[in-house]
PDB file of all heavy atoms in Angstrom:
ATOM      1  N   ILE A  13       0.901  15.668   5.732  1.00  0.00           N
ATOM      2  CA  ILE A  13       0.516  16.502   4.579  1.00  0.00           C
ATOM      3  C   ILE A  13      -0.729  15.943   3.889  1.00  0.00           C
ATOM      4  O   ILE A  13      -1.646  16.692   3.570  1.00  0.00           O
ATOM      5  CB  ILE A  13       1.711  16.606   3.595  1.00  0.00           C
ATOM      6  CG1 ILE A  13       2.839  17.456   4.217  1.00  0.00           C
ATOM      7  CG2 ILE A  13       1.246  17.199   2.256  1.00  0.00           C
ATOM      8  CD1 ILE A  13       4.156  17.393   3.460  1.00  0.00           C
ATOM      9  N   MET A  14      -0.737  14.626   3.681  1.00  0.00           N
ATOM     10  CA  MET A  14      -1.894  14.007   2.990  1.00  0.00           C
ATOM     11  C   MET A  14      -3.160  14.186   3.846  1.00  0.00           C
ATOM     12  O   MET A  14      -4.214  14.475   3.284  1.00  0.00           O
ATOM     13  CB  MET A  14      -1.633  12.510   2.752  1.00  0.00           C
ATOM     14  CG  MET A  14      -0.535  12.255   1.709  1.00  0.00           C
ATOM     15  SD  MET A  14      -0.925  12.814   0.064  1.00  0.00           S
ATOM     16  CE  MET A  14      -2.072  11.529  -0.458  1.00  0.00           C
ATOM     17  N   ASP A  15      -3.040  14.037   5.145  1.00  0.00           N
ATOM     18  CA  ASP A  15      -4.205  14.220   6.007  1.00  0.00           C
ATOM     19  C   ASP A  15      -4.739  15.654   5.918  1.00  0.00           C
ATOM     20  O   ASP A  15      -5.923  15.882   5.870  1.00  0.00           O
ATOM     21  CB  ASP A  15      -3.844  13.895   7.488  1.00  0.00           C
ATOM     22  CG  ASP A  15      -3.676  12.419   7.743  1.00  0.00           C
ATOM     23  OD1 ASP A  15      -4.172  11.621   6.918  1.00  0.00           O
ATOM     24  OD2 ASP A  15      -3.081  12.067   8.767  1.00  0.00           O
ATOM     25  N   LEU A  16      -3.800  16.612   5.943  1.00  0.00           N
ATOM     26  CA  LEU A  16      -4.188  18.023   5.902  1.00  0.00           C
ATOM     27  C   LEU A  16      -4.819  18.377   4.550  1.00  0.00           C
ATOM     28  O   LEU A  16      -5.801  19.109   4.494  1.00  0.00           O
ATOM     29  CB  LEU A  16      -2.986  18.926   6.152  1.00  0.00           C
ATOM     30  CG  LEU A  16      -2.434  18.871   7.561  1.00  0.00           C
ATOM     31  CD1 LEU A  16      -1.041  19.471   7.640  1.00  0.00           C
ATOM     32  CD2 LEU A  16      -3.364  19.561   8.550  1.00  0.00           C
ATOM     33  N   ILE A  17      -4.313  17.803   3.479  1.00  0.00           N
ATOM     34  CA  ILE A  17      -4.915  18.037   2.133  1.00  0.00           C
ATOM     35  C   ILE A  17      -6.265  17.376   2.051  1.00  0.00           C
ATOM     36  O   ILE A  17      -7.163  17.958   1.414  1.00  0.00           O
ATOM     37  CB  ILE A  17      -3.908  17.542   1.031  1.00  0.00           C
ATOM     38  CG1 ILE A  17      -2.720  18.506   0.935  1.00  0.00           C
ATOM     39  CG2 ILE A  17      -4.628  17.433  -0.301  1.00  0.00           C
ATOM     40  CD1 ILE A  17      -1.609  18.084   0.030  1.00  0.00           C
ATOM     41  N   ALA A  18      -6.431  16.215   2.681  1.00  0.00           N
ATOM     42  CA  ALA A  18      -7.755  15.573   2.677  1.00  0.00           C
ATOM     43  C   ALA A  18      -8.783  16.464   3.373  1.00  0.00           C
ATOM     44  O   ALA A  18      -9.945  16.478   2.938  1.00  0.00           O
ATOM     45  CB  ALA A  18      -7.643  14.210   3.363  1.00  0.00           C
ATOM     46  N   GLU A  19      -8.375  17.180   4.398  1.00  0.00           N
ATOM     47  CA  GLU A  19      -9.265  18.092   5.099  1.00  0.00           C
ATOM     48  C   GLU A  19      -9.568  19.350   4.307  1.00  0.00           C
ATOM     49  O   GLU A  19     -10.666  19.900   4.375  1.00  0.00           O
ATOM     50  CB  GLU A  19      -8.658  18.501   6.451  1.00  0.00           C
ATOM     51  CG  GLU A  19      -8.606  17.390   7.472  1.00  0.00           C
ATOM     52  CD  GLU A  19      -7.805  17.795   8.720  1.00  0.00           C
ATOM     53  OE1 GLU A  19      -7.666  18.994   8.965  1.00  0.00           O
ATOM     54  OE2 GLU A  19      -7.368  16.877   9.425  1.00  0.00           O
ATOM     55  N   ASP A  20      -8.556  19.860   3.562  1.00  0.00           N
ATOM     56  CA  ASP A  20      -8.695  21.109   2.818  1.00  0.00           C
ATOM     57  C   ASP A  20      -7.884  21.020   1.542  1.00  0.00           C
ATOM     58  O   ASP A  20      -6.686  21.267   1.532  1.00  0.00           O
ATOM     59  CB  ASP A  20      -8.252  22.311   3.678  1.00  0.00           C
ATOM     60  CG  ASP A  20      -8.370  23.621   2.920  1.00  0.00           C
ATOM     61  OD1 ASP A  20      -8.978  23.656   1.843  1.00  0.00           O
ATOM     62  OD2 ASP A  20      -7.791  24.613   3.421  1.00  0.00           O
ATOM     63  N   GLU A  21      -8.563  20.727   0.450  1.00  0.00           N
ATOM     64  CA  GLU A  21      -7.840  20.509  -0.833  1.00  0.00           C
ATOM     65  C   GLU A  21      -7.274  21.827  -1.406  1.00  0.00           C
ATOM     66  O   GLU A  21      -6.474  21.809  -2.331  1.00  0.00           O
ATOM     67  CB  GLU A  21      -8.769  19.841  -1.856  1.00  0.00           C
ATOM     68  CG  GLU A  21      -9.943  20.705  -2.273  1.00  0.00           C
ATOM     69  CD  GLU A  21     -10.942  20.005  -3.151  1.00  0.00           C
ATOM     70  OE1 GLU A  21     -10.900  18.784  -3.249  1.00  0.00           O
ATOM     71  OE2 GLU A  21     -11.767  20.724  -3.771  1.00  0.00           O
ATOM     72  N   ARG A  22      -7.699  22.951  -0.858  1.00  0.00           N
ATOM     73  CA  ARG A  22      -7.186  24.236  -1.348  1.00  0.00           C
ATOM     74  C   ARG A  22      -6.116  24.842  -0.423  1.00  0.00           C
ATOM     75  O   ARG A  22      -5.750  26.003  -0.579  1.00  0.00           O
ATOM     76  CB  ARG A  22      -8.346  25.227  -1.523  1.00  0.00           C
ATOM     77  CG  ARG A  22      -9.337  24.792  -2.569  1.00  0.00           C
ATOM     78  CD  ARG A  22     -10.232  25.916  -3.004  1.00  0.00           C
ATOM     79  NE  ARG A  22     -11.260  25.489  -3.949  1.00  0.00           N
ATOM     80  CZ  ARG A  22     -11.057  25.375  -5.262  1.00  0.00           C
ATOM     81  NH1 ARG A  22      -9.906  25.638  -5.776  1.00  0.00           N
ATOM     82  NH2 ARG A  22     -12.025  24.953  -6.056  1.00  0.00           N
ATOM     83  N   THR A  23      -5.632  24.050   0.508  1.00  0.00           N
ATOM     84  CA  THR A  23      -4.614  24.520   1.439  1.00  0.00           C
ATOM     85  C   THR A  23      -3.348  24.968   0.691  1.00  0.00           C
ATOM     86  O   THR A  23      -3.098  24.539  -0.421  1.00  0.00           O
ATOM     87  CB  THR A  23      -4.277  23.458   2.499  1.00  0.00           C
ATOM     88  OG1 THR A  23      -3.519  24.099   3.526  1.00  0.00           O
ATOM     89  CG2 THR A  23      -3.508  22.303   1.948  1.00  0.00           C
ATOM     90  N   SER A  24      -2.582  25.820   1.312  1.00  0.00           N
ATOM     91  CA  SER A  24      -1.356  26.370   0.696  1.00  0.00           C
ATOM     92  C   SER A  24      -0.097  25.735   1.280  1.00  0.00           C
ATOM     93  O   SER A  24      -0.135  25.160   2.363  1.00  0.00           O
ATOM     94  CB  SER A  24      -1.309  27.877   0.922  1.00  0.00           C
ATOM     95  OG  SER A  24      -1.115  28.188   2.285  1.00  0.00           O
ATOM     96  N   VAL A  25       1.013  25.909   0.585  1.00  0.00           N
ATOM     97  CA  VAL A  25       2.285  25.443   1.096  1.00  0.00           C
ATOM     98  C   VAL A  25       2.601  26.124   2.430  1.00  0.00           C
ATOM     99  O   VAL A  25       3.074  25.486   3.379  1.00  0.00           O
ATOM    100  CB  VAL A  25       3.398  25.742   0.066  1.00  0.00           C
ATOM    101  CG1 VAL A  25       4.801  25.495   0.677  1.00  0.00           C
ATOM    102  CG2 VAL A  25       3.222  24.862  -1.178  1.00  0.00           C
ATOM    103  N   ALA A  26       2.253  27.426   2.552  1.00  0.00           N
ATOM    104  CA  ALA A  26       2.543  28.148   3.819  1.00  0.00           C
ATOM    105  C   ALA A  26       1.716  27.551   4.956  1.00  0.00           C
ATOM    106  O   ALA A  26       2.225  27.358   6.082  1.00  0.00           O
ATOM    107  CB  ALA A  26       2.238  29.611   3.648  1.00  0.00           C
ATOM    108  N   LYS A  27       0.436  27.229   4.692  1.00  0.00           N
ATOM    109  CA  LYS A  27      -0.421  26.636   5.763  1.00  0.00           C
ATOM    110  C   LYS A  27       0.075  25.264   6.129  1.00  0.00           C
ATOM    111  O   LYS A  27       0.061  24.877   7.319  1.00  0.00           O
ATOM    112  CB  LYS A  27      -1.858  26.547   5.289  1.00  0.00           C
ATOM    113  CG  LYS A  27      -2.581  27.905   5.276  1.00  0.00           C
ATOM    114  CD  LYS A  27      -4.021  27.729   4.828  1.00  0.00           C
ATOM    115  CE  LYS A  27      -4.690  29.072   4.646  1.00  0.00           C
ATOM    116  NZ  LYS A  27      -6.018  28.910   4.023  1.00  0.00           N
ATOM    117  N   LEU A  28       0.493  24.459   5.158  1.00  0.00           N
ATOM    118  CA  LEU A  28       1.023  23.134   5.419  1.00  0.00           C
ATOM    119  C   LEU A  28       2.291  23.228   6.237  1.00  0.00           C
ATOM    120  O   LEU A  28       2.483  22.481   7.205  1.00  0.00           O
ATOM    121  CB  LEU A  28       1.304  22.382   4.089  1.00  0.00           C
ATOM    122  CG  LEU A  28       0.075  21.950   3.286  1.00  0.00           C
ATOM    123  CD1 LEU A  28       0.525  21.428   1.936  1.00  0.00           C
ATOM    124  CD2 LEU A  28      -0.748  20.918   4.044  1.00  0.00           C
ATOM    125  N   SER A  29       3.150  24.212   5.904  1.00  0.00           N
ATOM    126  CA  SER A  29       4.412  24.410   6.599  1.00  0.00           C
ATOM    127  C   SER A  29       4.150  24.684   8.101  1.00  0.00           C
ATOM    128  O   SER A  29       4.777  24.102   8.978  1.00  0.00           O
ATOM    129  CB  SER A  29       5.179  25.543   5.973  1.00  0.00           C
ATOM    130  OG  SER A  29       6.304  25.874   6.734  1.00  0.00           O
ATOM    131  N   ALA A  30       3.183  25.574   8.353  1.00  0.00           N
ATOM    132  CA  ALA A  30       2.836  25.929   9.751  1.00  0.00           C
ATOM    133  C   ALA A  30       2.251  24.741  10.513  1.00  0.00           C
ATOM    134  O   ALA A  30       2.593  24.493  11.640  1.00  0.00           O
ATOM    135  CB  ALA A  30       1.873  27.107   9.752  1.00  0.00           C
ATOM    136  N   ALA A  31       1.389  23.991   9.846  1.00  0.00           N
ATOM    137  CA  ALA A  31       0.723  22.864  10.485  1.00  0.00           C
ATOM    138  C   ALA A  31       1.664  21.681  10.751  1.00  0.00           C
ATOM    139  O   ALA A  31       1.578  21.057  11.823  1.00  0.00           O
ATOM    140  CB  ALA A  31      -0.461  22.408   9.648  1.00  0.00           C
ATOM    141  N   VAL A  32       2.539  21.413   9.826  1.00  0.00           N
ATOM    142  CA  VAL A  32       3.445  20.260   9.974  1.00  0.00           C
ATOM    143  C   VAL A  32       4.689  20.649  10.810  1.00  0.00           C
ATOM    144  O   VAL A  32       5.277  19.827  11.493  1.00  0.00           O
ATOM    145  CB  VAL A  32       3.879  19.696   8.577  1.00  0.00           C
ATOM    146  CG1 VAL A  32       4.842  18.540   8.717  1.00  0.00           C
ATOM    147  CG2 VAL A  32       2.636  19.293   7.765  1.00  0.00           C
ATOM    148  N   GLY A  33       5.070  21.914  10.746  1.00  0.00           N
ATOM    149  CA  GLY A  33       6.208  22.365  11.528  1.00  0.00           C
ATOM    150  C   GLY A  33       7.516  22.205  10.818  1.00  0.00           C
ATOM    151  O   GLY A  33       8.561  22.052  11.447  1.00  0.00           O
ATOM    152  N   ILE A  34       7.501  22.215   9.492  1.00  0.00           N
ATOM    153  CA  ILE A  34       8.737  22.165   8.683  1.00  0.00           C
ATOM    154  C   ILE A  34       8.690  23.330   7.695  1.00  0.00           C
ATOM    155  O   ILE A  34       7.642  23.947   7.481  1.00  0.00           O
ATOM    156  CB  ILE A  34       8.907  20.813   7.973  1.00  0.00           C
ATOM    157  CG1 ILE A  34       7.723  20.485   7.025  1.00  0.00           C
ATOM    158  CG2 ILE A  34       9.098  19.690   8.993  1.00  0.00           C
ATOM    159  CD1 ILE A  34       7.884  19.197   6.237  1.00  0.00           C
ATOM    160  N   SER A  35       9.846  23.616   7.056  1.00  0.00           N
ATOM    161  CA  SER A  35       9.983  24.749   6.189  1.00  0.00           C
ATOM    162  C   SER A  35       9.117  24.593   4.914  1.00  0.00           C
ATOM    163  O   SER A  35       8.762  23.456   4.548  1.00  0.00           O
ATOM    164  CB  SER A  35      11.429  24.955   5.783  1.00  0.00           C
ATOM    165  OG  SER A  35      11.851  23.942   4.913  1.00  0.00           O
ATOM    166  N   THR A  36       8.847  25.716   4.241  1.00  0.00           N
ATOM    167  CA  THR A  36       8.115  25.642   2.988  1.00  0.00           C
ATOM    168  C   THR A  36       8.891  24.846   1.956  1.00  0.00           C
ATOM    169  O   THR A  36       8.289  24.144   1.141  1.00  0.00           O
ATOM    170  CB  THR A  36       7.777  27.066   2.469  1.00  0.00           C
ATOM    171  OG1 THR A  36       8.984  27.798   2.318  1.00  0.00           O
ATOM    172  CG2 THR A  36       6.802  27.770   3.393  1.00  0.00           C
ATOM    173  N   THR A  37      10.193  24.966   1.969  1.00  0.00           N
ATOM    174  CA  THR A  37      11.028  24.181   1.017  1.00  0.00           C
ATOM    175  C   THR A  37      10.864  22.695   1.285  1.00  0.00           C
ATOM    176  O   THR A  37      10.742  21.918   0.332  1.00  0.00           O
ATOM    177  CB  THR A  37      12.509  24.576   1.148  1.00  0.00           C
ATOM    178  OG1 THR A  37      12.635  25.984   0.945  1.00  0.00           O
ATOM    179  CG2 THR A  37      13.382  23.821   0.153  1.00  0.00           C
ATOM    180  N   ALA A  38      10.847  22.301   2.562  1.00  0.00           N
ATOM    181  CA  ALA A  38      10.650  20.904   2.888  1.00  0.00           C
ATOM    182  C   ALA A  38       9.268  20.421   2.467  1.00  0.00           C
ATOM    183  O   ALA A  38       9.117  19.306   1.996  1.00  0.00           O
ATOM    184  CB  ALA A  38      10.856  20.668   4.380  1.00  0.00           C
ATOM    185  N   ILE A  39       8.250  21.271   2.633  1.00  0.00           N
ATOM    186  CA  ILE A  39       6.917  20.938   2.173  1.00  0.00           C
ATOM    187  C   ILE A  39       6.930  20.721   0.663  1.00  0.00           C
ATOM    188  O   ILE A  39       6.380  19.735   0.149  1.00  0.00           O
ATOM    189  CB  ILE A  39       5.890  22.058   2.534  1.00  0.00           C
ATOM    190  CG1 ILE A  39       5.666  22.139   4.065  1.00  0.00           C
ATOM    191  CG2 ILE A  39       4.568  21.864   1.800  1.00  0.00           C
ATOM    192  CD1 ILE A  39       4.883  20.976   4.663  1.00  0.00           C
ATOM    193  N   GLU A  40       7.535  21.658  -0.066  1.00  0.00           N
ATOM    194  CA  GLU A  40       7.587  21.517  -1.527  1.00  0.00           C
ATOM    195  C   GLU A  40       8.319  20.251  -1.955  1.00  0.00           C
ATOM    196  O   GLU A  40       7.858  19.586  -2.878  1.00  0.00           O
ATOM    197  CB  GLU A  40       8.242  22.761  -2.143  1.00  0.00           C
ATOM    198  CG  GLU A  40       7.323  23.962  -2.076  1.00  0.00           C
ATOM    199  CD  GLU A  40       8.049  25.276  -2.365  1.00  0.00           C
ATOM    200  OE1 GLU A  40       9.288  25.318  -2.499  1.00  0.00           O
ATOM    201  OE2 GLU A  40       7.363  26.313  -2.442  1.00  0.00           O
ATOM    202  N   ASN A  41       9.399  19.884  -1.274  1.00  0.00           N
ATOM    203  CA  ASN A  41      10.090  18.644  -1.597  1.00  0.00           C
ATOM    204  C   ASN A  41       9.226  17.426  -1.313  1.00  0.00           C
ATOM    205  O   ASN A  41       9.199  16.487  -2.127  1.00  0.00           O
ATOM    206  CB  ASN A  41      11.390  18.549  -0.749  1.00  0.00           C
ATOM    207  CG  ASN A  41      12.424  19.572  -1.180  1.00  0.00           C
ATOM    208  OD1 ASN A  41      12.375  20.096  -2.298  1.00  0.00           O
ATOM    209  ND2 ASN A  41      13.361  19.838  -0.288  1.00  0.00           N
ATOM    210  N   ASN A  42       8.484  17.453  -0.212  1.00  0.00           N
ATOM    211  CA  ASN A  42       7.559  16.364   0.122  1.00  0.00           C
ATOM    212  C   ASN A  42       6.426  16.264  -0.902  1.00  0.00           C
ATOM    213  O   ASN A  42       6.043  15.164  -1.296  1.00  0.00           O
ATOM    214  CB  ASN A  42       7.038  16.496   1.539  1.00  0.00           C
ATOM    215  CG  ASN A  42       8.026  15.988   2.579  1.00  0.00           C
ATOM    216  OD1 ASN A  42       8.367  14.843   2.570  1.00  0.00           O
ATOM    217  ND2 ASN A  42       8.446  16.885   3.448  1.00  0.00           N
TER     218      ASN A  42
END
Side-chain angles (χ1 to χ4, degrees):
I13 289 167
M14 292 295 284
D15 287 342
L16 292 164
I17 288 173
E19 290 172 21
D20 179 11
E21 66 187 14
R22 296 195 184 276
T23 192
S24 67
V25 169
K27 286 181 187 172
L28 290 171
S29 173
V32 179
I34 58 178
S35 71
T36 55
T37 304
I39 291 289
E40 287 166 354
N41 291 340
N42 279 299

